[in-house]
């Protein structure tokens, strides 16, 4: 594959991965002008919509987009900003909250496996099984040995998905601690955003450094050529959307969706 | 563990496994007298029912029984003969037929993972993901490389289940080709059994030897200490039920279910 501007942000081999080498405020996919960035995003959306239509018609391959990031990092915003233009017929967004008692009664990959995309479908996971090596580790619900076991189980699980026809697009929406502060303050200041405010977010914020360590280790342990991670500088919402859309454009360019051939005999049918 | 009569029939290491060394007509768990065999089965059923009750109360561990075998080998009969006495609250029987279009749109383990037992539950799989390395191989739907890949994926999948608290009991109901013949003839001769007769069973029967090879290889590739196979001589239905019940008795004897401790403070509560 020729080098692309995405290369520095695509982690296909986690060895030696250092999250602190990435600047959350960078805007490598931005033109520097918000208006032309938005025009570019509109253009990309139209293209992605066409590609998704053909991908759905194929009814064979699957696409799974995983969005991870700290509170306020823009997971919901990415769904709205990038995926809203897609045909809902072939798109399914799945939010993973704290597991229910039904879900806790199984292994942690159970509810995730149940939601993987079907042939022709694009599924977007808003949070995912990675929470089970992030919040679970930060709060000490699992020890180091269990965390390593889960990294392996996740690699095996994702390998199964890839080997059975799923393309994985794993995105870490990378924001700075300062940006989170201003977003939380904005939520508090705006009554219309109060519904998104969870007092627990403030408690989690106190674990910021532990979360960064957990993300770094999780990405390092699960970034593979078949299931790479993407670090998305996400302090700028416009840049974040643009970059995720560019990743999808590049993904479809590799997948080359094509309409399936017509069933034989169709040309002999007559409408009476 | 001390040696048990089950040892020769429990395959915990598939290396060198040879199915043709097992006699489908053997009755190692039979007393030789059908009446006392049935009395023993009743006794076992009562014991298993008690054990299941405590296992369910624990709400922590999971038990998955996988029943595989040729057509007419007695999978339905085992469910009826061994599991009917269990409390339905903690028992779920899942039949896996030819995958639906919904299921085919995902990887072959998807529908299986969705049905694994929850904490405290016993699930019985009537057929399972093993069909995907049995019928799929016999009919050449997958090549040797894909079959090996699936063996590995199945080992990883079962390893995940075991590492997350599931006990696997995998049973191959072993009947002879002659016994199948007489059971198929019996189904044809009895109008009340016609609903169980599928003309396709006759077509599958022509692949008998290929199925035996496929079973041998699948068991050899997926019998591990954590997820052993059991070869159940099943030409005798009474023996088959007795042996499966003995395996369950021995499984609970290892698991030692125990009622959980009462919540603290319960003794201070008053009923007004």
């Amino acid at each position: 594959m020729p080098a692309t501007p995405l290369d520095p942000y695509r982690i296909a081999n986690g060895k030696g991965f250092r999250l602190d080498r990435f600047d959350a405020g960078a805007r490598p996919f931005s033109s520097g002008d918000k208006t032309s960035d938005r025009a570019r995003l509109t253009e990309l959306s139209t293209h992605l919509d066409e590609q998704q239509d053909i991908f759905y018609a194929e009814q064979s391959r699957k696409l799974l987009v995983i969005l991870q990031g700290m509170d306020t990092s823009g997971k919901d915003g990415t769904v709205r900003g990038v995926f809203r233009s897609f045909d809902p017929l072939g798109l399914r967004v799945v939010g993973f909250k704290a597991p229910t008692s039904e879900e806790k009664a199984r292994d942690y990959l159970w509810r995730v496996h149940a939601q993987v995309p079907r042939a022709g479908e694009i599924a977007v996971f808003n949070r995912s099984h990675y929470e089970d090596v992030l919040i679970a580790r930060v709060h000490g619900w699992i020890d180091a040995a269990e965390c390593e076991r889960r990294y392996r189980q996740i690699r095996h699980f994702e390998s199964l998905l890839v080997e059975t026809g799923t393309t994985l697009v794993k995105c870490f929406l990378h924001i700075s601690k300062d940006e989170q502060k201003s977003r939380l303050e904005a939520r508090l200041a705006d009554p219309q955003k109060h519904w998104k405010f969870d007092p627990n977010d403030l408690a989690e914020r106190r674990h910021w450094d532990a979360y960064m360590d957990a993300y770094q280790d999780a990405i390092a342990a699960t970034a593979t050529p078949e299931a790479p991670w993407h670090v998305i500088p996400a302090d700028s919402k416009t840049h974040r959307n643009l970059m995720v859309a560019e990743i999808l454009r590049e993904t479809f360019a590799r997948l080359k969706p094509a309409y399936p051939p017509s069933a034989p005999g169709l040309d002999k049918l007559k409408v009476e």
Side-chain angles (χ1 to χ4, degrees), chain A:
Chain A
M1 268 191 295
T4 84
L6 280 172
D7 288 348
Y9 299 92
R10 171 178 288 131
I11 319 301
N13 178 346
K15 209 177 167 187
F17 172 72
R18 288 283 301 274
L19 183 54
D20 59 8
R21 291 194 188 137
F22 290 85
D23 175 9
R27 294 187 289 172
F29 287 84
S30 173
S31 67
D33 175 68
K34 196 167 267 192
T35 307
S36 68
D37 279 359
R38 285 181 177 161
R40 171 70 181 150
L41 185 59
T42 302
E43 192 186 329
L44 278 169
S45 294
T46 305
H47 171 71
L48 292 176
D49 181 32
E50 290 164 6
Q51 291 293 295
Q52 182 215 356
D53 196 55
I54 309 174
F55 189 78
Y56 182 77
E58 277 188 350
Q59 293 286 310
S60 65
R61 296 177 289 180
K62 310 109 181 177
L63 180 59
L64 173 56
V65 180
I66 294 178
L67 300 178
Q68 282 288 159
M70 297 294 286
D71 295 324
T72 78
S73 64
K75 298 178 290 294
D76 292 356
T78 303
V79 170
R80 215 169 27 249
V82 179
F83 294 96
R84 198 169 46 173
S85 63
F86 282 39
D87 185 343
L89 194 63
L91 178 75
R92 190 161 42 86
V93 179
V94 186
F96 289 98
K97 308 283 182 188
T100 65
S101 56
E102 270 297 309
E103 291 165 348
K104 271 193 240 178
R106 276 82 171 200
D107 67 82
Y108 68 97
L109 290 176
W110 176 78
R111 64 174 186 161
V112 178
H113 206 161
Q115 298 288 357
V116 298
R118 55 167 294 149
E121 191 179 46
I122 299 172
V124 181
F125 285 2
N126 186 336
R127 302 187 188 271
S128 67
H129 47 292
Y130 282 98
E131 294 298 329
D132 297 290
V133 289
L134 292 165
I135 190 170
R137 177 181 153 189
V138 166
H139 288 284
W141 302 335
I142 58 173
D143 63 16
E146 173 65 9
C147 197
E148 289 294 330
R149 208 174 288 129
R150 290 188 181 186
Y151 291 153
R152 169 171 53 75
Q153 291 164 344
I154 288 171
R155 285 194 303 268
H156 287 162
F157 172 62
E158 294 184 352
S159 175
L160 166 73
L161 296 184
V162 170
E163 289 183 328
T164 53
T166 302
T167 298
L168 260 77
V169 175
K170 304 192 285 190
C171 298
F172 170 58
L173 307 184
H174 185 32
I175 59 166
S176 63
K177 196 174 178 185
D178 282 351
E179 178 65 20
Q180 190 193 52
K181 178 166 185 268
S182 71
R183 291 187 187 183
L184 286 171
E185 285 170 350
R187 282 188 187 177
L188 284 172
D190 183 351
Q192 288 195 357
K193 289 185 176 172
H194 280 184
W195 69 273
K196 293 205 75 169
F197 188 82
D198 180 348
N200 193 47
D201 291 354
L202 295 180
E204 290 303 305
R205 178 171 164 79
R206 285 185 214 114
H207 300 289
W208 185 274
D209 292 343
Y211 269 108
M212 291 305 108
D213 288 347
Y215 266 108
Q216 172 170 297
D217 293 351
I219 292 172
T222 59
T224 64
E226 60 186 8
W229 273 100
H230 302 82
V231 177
I232 318 283
D235 276 359
S236 156
K237 297 173 183 177
T238 304
H239 174 264
R240 174 200 72 209
N241 289 350
L242 198 52
M243 183 166 170
V244 172
E246 285 285 359
I247 291 169
L248 292 171
R249 185 198 57 70
E250 192 266 358
T251 301
F252 280 125
R254 271 187 298 117
L255 292 175
K256 294 187 180 55
Y259 284 105
S262 298
L266 275 192
D267 56 329
K268 306 248 172 11
L269 290 178
K270 282 180 189 165
V271 179
E272 303 278 302

